[in-house]
Amino acid sequence: MPRIQILVGSEMGTAEMVAASAKDYLEANGYEAVVNPLPEVADITDNPDDILLICTSNTGAGDLPGNIQPLFLGLTRDFPNIAGRRYGVINLGDSSYATFAEAGRAIDHAMSELGATRIGEPLVLDACSGDDPEQLTLQWLPQWTSAL
Ligand SMILES: Cc1cc2nc3c(=O)[nH]c(=O)nc-3n(C[C@H](O)[C@H](O)[C@H](O)COP(=O)(O)O)c2cc1C
């Protein structure tokens, strides 16, 4: 089974917690999974067999957290060959912001513009909802992995 590399963007740790839960779930279900807290394009291109799971929050006004910006910049500036690579998206935002979930959509768009193939619909987590983001992630993952 291919490895799943979880590419994390987080300012205050929520997306990191979600990524850790996702890793635990994936490993309990027979996958090898790694959490990458400082993702860059080379982490994708050097590991061509990895399935990618982007797990990022939004900050500023629809901006990506600083730790995942190198990946986004690399995608949009260097146009790496990632055509056909499979990926999923967990997008953590807050619907009280006018720029709700925009940064997660931007990196999803950047991946698909380069020909990567998103598996399933993104999981959009709204901090405003009061729901537990880790629980929602554990509910979403079975359908995501079944589509891999
Ligand atoms: C300063 C600040 C700016 C934010 N800006 C946005 C935003 O533009 N769009 C959005 O959907 N959520 C925004 N959020 C909400 C966060 O994305 C959300 O709370 C998320 O769960 C935080 O995850 P993290 O702890 O991994 O950074 C913002 C939160 C903070 C504190």
Side-chain angles (χ1 to χ4, degrees):
M1 243 191 293
R3 189 175 79 149
I4 298 179
Q5 184 181 165
I6 307 173
L7 306 160
V8 180
S10 184
E11 282 294 327
M12 295 171 298
T14 315
E16 258 175 56
M17 269 173 18
V18 166
S21 293
K23 178 183 193 291
D24 290 347
Y25 172 88
L26 292 167
E27 288 178 343
N29 285 276
Y31 291 90
E32 186 188 345
V34 290
V35 172
N36 183 347
L38 292 170
E40 297 187 14
V41 162
D43 301 323
I44 299 179
T45 52
D46 290 352
N47 297 286
D49 296 330
D50 282 2
I51 293 171
L52 307 166
L53 179 56
I54 296 168
C55 178
T56 188
S57 68
N58 292 245
T59 192
D63 301 318
L64 286 164
N67 71 298
I68 200 171
Q69 281 187 14
L71 173 61
F72 183 72
L73 287 176
L75 292 173
T76 53
R77 185 188 55 202
D78 302 337
F79 310 115
N81 181 6
I82 57 165
R85 297 292 298 274
R86 291 182 292 165
Y87 72 99
V89 177
I90 301 175
N91 186 1
L92 293 88
D94 184 326
S95 60
S96 67
Y97 288 83
T99 48
F100 177 50
E102 270 186 16
R105 281 200 295 276
I107 196 164
D108 182 6
H109 182 69
M111 296 283 291
S112 71
E113 281 285 290
L114 293 168
T117 304
R118 199 187 64 228
I119 305 299
E121 286 301 310
L123 173 64
V124 180
L125 298 171
D126 182 0
C128 226
S129 68
D131 295 330
D132 178 346
E134 289 170 274
Q135 282 304 320
L136 292 179
T137 299
L138 295 177
Q139 286 166 20
W140 175 83
L141 277 167
Q143 67 194 45
W144 187 68
T145 51
S146 72
L148 292 176

